[in-house]
Amino acid sequence: MYIKPLFIVVSIVVAIVGCRKQTDIPDSSSDSQNYQFTIMDTVKGEQLLNQCSRSTPENINSIWELDKVHVEILDKNFDKVKEVTSSGCCDSGERITNLDEYVYQLVGVKIGNKSYIYINSFRREYAESLRRDQAKSKDSPVIVCDGGKSFWGILFDIEELKFSMLSINGSA
């Protein structure tokens, strides 16, 4: 007598859990690459712009905090980074092609009347060592002197969906 009601309850729970898992599966038709982005708050974002051995955007009017919509736009266009050639200090003429090897810290910046996302990038191995270091968290601004292509930054124009100002750290 008790087996039948228990079977019905278990069946309903399994059906509900099964449906929930289906909604968690990413849409395969999406252009999203699911890169590892961390949104920085405005205080940490300002710190992030003080890099040691590479140039960062100048003439910034204000810093603003991004939301999920901005990150989704960035994510859908992120492969365009591979088309940009670095300029300025220090590895001029280089390209970044292996985007999956990096993690990214993001901050919104306003230059003139335009809104941009500044992206601070560093290799996953460095992110792993940060996690082991209890004094730092993943949302601590990563500022490293030297390191070459292991550390770089780039600017994304939200309106034009274009990247510019790829700057790679110097090498020691």
Side-chain angles (χ1 to χ4, degrees), residues 81 84 117-120 152-156 163-167:
V81 167
V84 180
I117 299 174
Y118 179 72
I119 301 127
N120 183 47
W152 52 273
I154 195 164
L155 201 58
F156 178 64
F163 290 90
S164 62
M165 292 185 60
L166 172 61
S167 183

Side-chain angles (χ1 to χ4, degrees), residues 19-116:
C19 289
R20 197 175 92 217
K21 284 185 181 178
Q22 287 294 324
T23 61
D24 291 342
I25 297 171
D27 180 6
S28 61
S29 65
S30 170
D31 292 333
S32 173
Q33 299 297 317
N34 295 314
Y35 294 107
Q36 187 177 341
F37 296 121
T38 300
I39 297 172
M40 306 299 283
D41 65 33
T42 55
V43 172
K44 290 178 182 175
E46 189 170 349
Q47 295 169 0
L48 190 69
L49 292 163
N50 293 315
Q51 291 295 321
C52 177
S53 65
R54 70 167 182 259
S55 56
T56 57
E58 296 178 356
N59 302 317
I60 294 173
N61 301 338
S62 62
I63 296 172
W64 50 279
E65 198 164 325
L66 302 169
D67 60 29
K68 281 188 170 189
V69 173
H70 296 112
V71 176
E72 288 172 4
I73 292 168
L74 173 67
D75 190 53
K76 288 182 180 177
N77 289 278
F78 206 62
D79 277 345
K80 294 178 185 177
V81 167
K82 297 174 186 177
E83 302 167 8
V84 180
T85 303
S86 65
S87 58
C89 179
C90 287
D91 284 332
S92 187
E94 295 287 326
R95 289 188 180 194
I96 305 295
T97 57
N98 48 350
L99 299 175
D100 291 332
E101 293 181 12
Y102 297 88
V103 295
Y104 306 95
Q105 294 179 323
L106 312 175
V107 64
V109 296
K110 195 112 170 155
I111 302 172
N113 292 328
K114 293 191 80 168
S115 295
Y116 297 88

